[in-house]
Amino acid sequence: MRSLRRCRAVIFDLDDTLVPTSKIDRAAILHAAALASGDELPAVVAARFSELLKAEPFPPEPSGLDVPAWRTGLWERALSGSSSDGRAGASPAARQAYEAWSSERLSSFRFADDVDAMVRRLQSAGYKTGVLTNGHADVQRAKTAACGAGSLFGEERVIIAGAGDASTATVARARPLMGGCGPLGEHAEQKPHASIFRVASATLMVGDSYAADVAGGINASLLATVWVRPPLEPPETGAQGSLMHGHLSAVPAGQPSPTFTVESVLEVEACLEKIG
């Protein structure tokens, strides 16, 4: 029966699909703000940092700063209310906040037991599985290490898109994603770029981003797409959708619909049953 399956492989997005990244980050940001905010309300500082992180997550090319230094500068701006770009150094409080946030978010960045079990069931049933995540290599590699993605999926099937140089991109284009993507598991272009979806057509793409995961999978002519679209939180919680790229409550006007829309990645098995 396996040879008759239409779907042979499942590719998962990482952030807010396999792991509730935004929920983890919001809690870690508030924890760090409480430690470093002094007389100001931690929630106010946390909100400032969240907005800065969403707007300016990475250093601009001419800055000469690495990601930790840049994000420490974001904490300096959040704590002081300054508009400085973070290049002039940071206070001890900002350094404390960055270290507390980084440590807390990574310590909580884990696959839930039911998610781990689901992936293992798919693998036992004969499906190839992989992870395809956008982002800065240093940031995403720390997260994939924290959750043990390499152990669960195989290091060669955990791909960081948007990392590496031209030579890495050349290697990536020459190999199908499910069979590996270069020595570091990195690809110079991000979803939804067509080159990142060089996979067999009998593949299911699962992710929370309509633009990157759903539209990317559709445009690459994958077999099917699953949009993991969690329900909106009440506005007063301040926790709606993704911390980094917002939340779509509906397919954009005039754009194609995903094959399936679900509220949890745990519904993927039911989608596979429908595909056959």
Side-chain angles (χ1 to χ4, degrees), residues 142-186:
K143 291 193 287 190
T144 59
C147 65
S151 297
L152 180 58
F153 291 92
E155 294 290 350
E156 74 281 4
R157 291 181 179 170
V158 178
I159 309 303
I160 298 172
D165 57 19
S167 61
T168 301
T170 300
V171 172
R173 290 192 190 100
R175 301 182 181 183
L177 183 147
M178 296 308 292
C181 204
L184 296 178
E186 296 174 3

Side-chain angles (χ1 to χ4, degrees), residues 122-134:
L122 294 179
Q123 293 168 343
S124 295
Y127 292 100
K128 291 184 178 181
T129 60
V131 173
L132 178 55
T133 177
N134 281 357

Side-chain angles (χ1 to χ4, degrees), residues 36-57:
S37 58
D39 295 333
E40 193 158 17
L41 288 175
V44 173
V45 174
R48 279 192 205 135
F49 179 78
S50 296
E51 288 301 314
L52 288 168
L53 182 65
K54 185 173 183 178
E56 308 171 58

